[in-house]
Amino acid sequence: MQVVAVQSLQARPAAVPKPRVPAREEDGPWHAEAVCRRDEAGLFFAPSKEPTAARLSREEAAKRVCARCPVMVACREHALLQPEPYGVWGGLTAAERRVVLGRRRRRAAELRQAPGGGPIAAAG
């Protein structure tokens, strides 16, 4: 069965990766309810060579929009699973998402290495 899968992959032409598109433009169940659909994308994505003070101010304004969004958690999970390398998604900046992803990776590694990692250890 594994040989069939390899043969079918060889028969297909090389796939072109799908370009990353902000969630506001993708089709999906949670996007329609996103508060950011009504705001300017510039609030969520940095212009090139943005000064630090301006970036921090813009990110805080974007986070305020996210804080009142009914789909903030879904948006955040999308950005973490994708992973989205730029912008404010689900109330987190790209740097904050990298921290969350690092913590999740460490936690998963700890659970894999835990002796007797039964259901109670995995729930922790």
Side-chain angles (χ1 to χ4, degrees), residues 22-35:
R24 289 176 285 291
E25 297 174 13
E26 290 180 349
D27 294 328
W30 60 271
H31 304 142
E33 299 300 317
V35 173

Side-chain angles (χ1 to χ4, degrees), residues 21 36 60 75:
V21 179
C36 62
E60 286 304 314
C75 178

Side-chain angles (χ1 to χ4, degrees), residues 67-93:
R68 67 178 200 268
C69 184
V71 294
M72 182 180 77
V73 174
C75 178
R76 181 179 294 174
E77 284 306 309
H78 163 83
L80 291 167
L81 293 173
Q82 194 62 26
E84 292 291 348
Y86 306 107
V88 175
W89 291 77
L92 296 178
T93 64

